[in-house]
Amino acid sequence: MPHFVKDIEEIQKRARQKIEDGAVTSSYALDKDKVVEILNEALATEIVCVLRYMHHYFMATGVHGKTAAAEFKEHADQEREHADELAERIQQLGGKPDFNPKSLLERSVSHYVEGESLADMIREDLVAERVVIDVYREMIRYFGDKDSTTRKLIEHLLAEEEEHASDLSDLMYIVNPSTGETEMQDPGTEIGENDEEETMDRGNGQKQQRNANGKNQNDGSPRRQPEPAHEPGTTGRVMARRGRNDLEPAKDDVALGGQSGSSRSVKITNKNRKNNAA
C-alpha cells in the first residue's frame, strides 16, 4: 500500500509539470506532433469526402437519382460530423486543426472525382470509402494501447465508413438473396445521357404513331361534341318538342313573365289563378 501511495504522489508531481498541455501528460507514449499530423490528414480526408458527396447529391439524376441523392446527403452529413470529432481531438492534443483549402487535397488520402454519370458517382464514392477503410485500420494499429482515446475515435469512424461502403455497394450491385453473392451491376445505375435521349426519341416516335392513326388529330375524324350548357335554374335535360317553333314562348312562360323554372314563378302563377277565379 505505501508503494501505491508513493506512485500516486509521483503522478501528482508529474501532473503539475507542463500543466499548459491540458489532456496530454508525460505518460503519453506517442509523438504528439506526429499524431496531430496523422489526424490532420484524416480531417482533410473527411472534408474532401463531404465536398464530393455534396456535389454528387446535387447532380444525381436518373432512375435511382432520388435514392442515391438521399444516400449521398446522409453520408455527407456523417462525414462532416467525423471532421468535427477529429478537429476536437486535435485540439485536445494541443494541435491546430488544419482547414486550409489550399493543401486540402494534398493532405487527403481520398480523392475528389465528380463522375460523368450516376454509376460513376457511386463507384468513385465506393472506391474512396474502401481507401479510407484501409487507412483507418492502419491508424488503429498505430495508436493501439498507446493512445486508446484516439484509437476508439478512429474505430468509431471506421465503423461508419464501412457502413457507407456497404450502402454504396447495395446501390451499385444486385445481390442474390439466397446466396449473398453479387451477380451483376444494377442496370438502373447505368442510365446515362444517351439512354435518356433514346427514351425521349422512343416516346416521340410513339406520339407520332398515334398522330398517324388519327387519334386526337384535326383530320376530319368524328369527335364527340360537347353538350350545350343549360341556363341556371333548369335541369339541363332536353325537352321533347311540341311541334311549335322553339323561339315562340310557351303560354305559361308568358303568364309567368319569362321566369319559368323558379319557385317564385310558381307562386305568381297560383296567385294569378286565384284572382282569375274570383
Side-chain angles (χ1 to χ4, degrees):
M1 189 67 177
H3 180 73
F4 179 76
V5 174
K6 182 179 179 180
D7 288 345
I8 289 295
E9 291 176 351
E10 181 64 26
I11 291 173
Q12 291 174 346
K13 181 181 179 179
R14 292 198 306 264
R16 294 183 180 278
Q17 300 172 357
K18 297 183 178 180
I19 193 172
E20 67 276 6
D21 288 346
V24 181
T25 64
S26 58
S27 63
Y28 190 77
L30 294 175
D31 183 345
K32 183 187 68 173
D33 295 335
K34 181 65 175 178
V35 171
V36 169
E37 181 181 353
I38 292 173
L39 293 181
N40 266 320
E41 292 177 355
L43 175 61
T45 300
E46 296 293 345
I47 295 174
V48 169
C49 287
V50 171
L51 298 175
R52 187 185 63 251
Y53 273 126
M54 288 306 298
H55 175 80
H56 291 172
Y57 165 70
F58 285 108
M59 298 304 295
T61 59
V63 173
H64 295 327
K66 290 186 177 180
T67 301
E71 202 70 51
F72 294 153
K73 185 61 166 61
E74 180 182 349
H75 291 186
D77 292 341
Q78 290 179 337
E79 305 289 15
R80 189 178 294 108
E81 293 177 359
H82 295 177
D84 291 345
E85 295 175 83
L86 288 166
E88 182 179 359
R89 182 55 181 165
I90 292 171
Q91 191 277 333
Q92 288 176 349
L93 293 173
K96 183 178 70 173
D98 191 349
F99 288 93
N100 189 345
K102 184 176 181 180
S103 59
L104 204 58
L105 288 175
E106 297 175 1
R107 292 179 284 112
S108 172
V109 301
S110 183
H111 55 273
Y112 181 90
V113 179
E114 294 182 351
E116 298 181 358
S117 66
L118 181 61
D120 290 340
M121 297 177 191
I122 299 174
R123 185 182 297 107
E124 293 301 330
D125 287 333
L126 179 55
V127 171
E129 293 290 358
R130 289 169 59 83
V131 171
V132 173
I133 287 171
D134 281 343
V135 171
Y136 281 179
R137 285 175 179 164
E138 290 294 329
M139 289 184 182
I140 291 171
R141 282 190 285 268
Y142 172 78
F143 295 124
D145 294 333
K146 296 180 179 180
D147 187 347
S148 58
T149 302
T150 304
R151 187 199 73 232
K152 290 177 181 178
L153 169 61
I154 301 302
E155 287 175 345
H156 162 66
L157 303 188
L158 173 63
E160 293 199 343
E161 303 297 357
E162 290 177 340
E163 182 179 350
H164 294 174
S166 178
D167 293 339
L168 294 168
S169 180
D170 290 342
L171 287 177
M172 176 67 73
Y173 299 103
I174 297 176
V175 176
N176 188 322
S178 60
T179 63
E181 297 292 331
T182 301
E183 293 187 342
M184 59 179 292
Q185 182 169 337
D186 192 327
T189 62
E190 286 292 0
I191 291 184
E193 183 178 352
N194 294 335
D195 298 311
E196 292 177 357
E197 292 178 355
E198 181 180 350
T199 302
M200 293 177 62
D201 292 341
R202 184 165 56 250
N204 292 335
Q206 294 174 352
K207 182 177 181 180
Q208 293 174 1
Q209 180 65 29
R210 288 196 299 268
N211 294 345
N213 293 335
K215 294 183 178 180
N216 299 329
Q217 298 300 310
N218 189 15
D219 55 359
S221 57
R223 293 184 178 182
R224 181 179 179 182
Q225 297 296 331
E227 296 182 358
H230 57 275
E231 296 182 359
T234 64
T235 62
R237 293 193 298 269
V238 179
M239 304 299 293
R241 297 184 181 274
R242 301 178 179 178
R244 58 180 176 83
N245 192 326
D246 293 338
L247 298 178
E248 180 182 352
K251 294 182 180 180
D252 292 341
D253 293 340
V254 173
L256 300 178
Q259 298 182 11
S260 60
S262 65
S263 59
R264 181 167 179 257
S265 300
V266 174
K267 292 179 181 179
I268 295 175
T269 302
N270 293 336
K271 183 177 180 180
N272 291 336
R273 288 176 178 173
K274 290 180 180 179
N275 293 335
N276 292 336

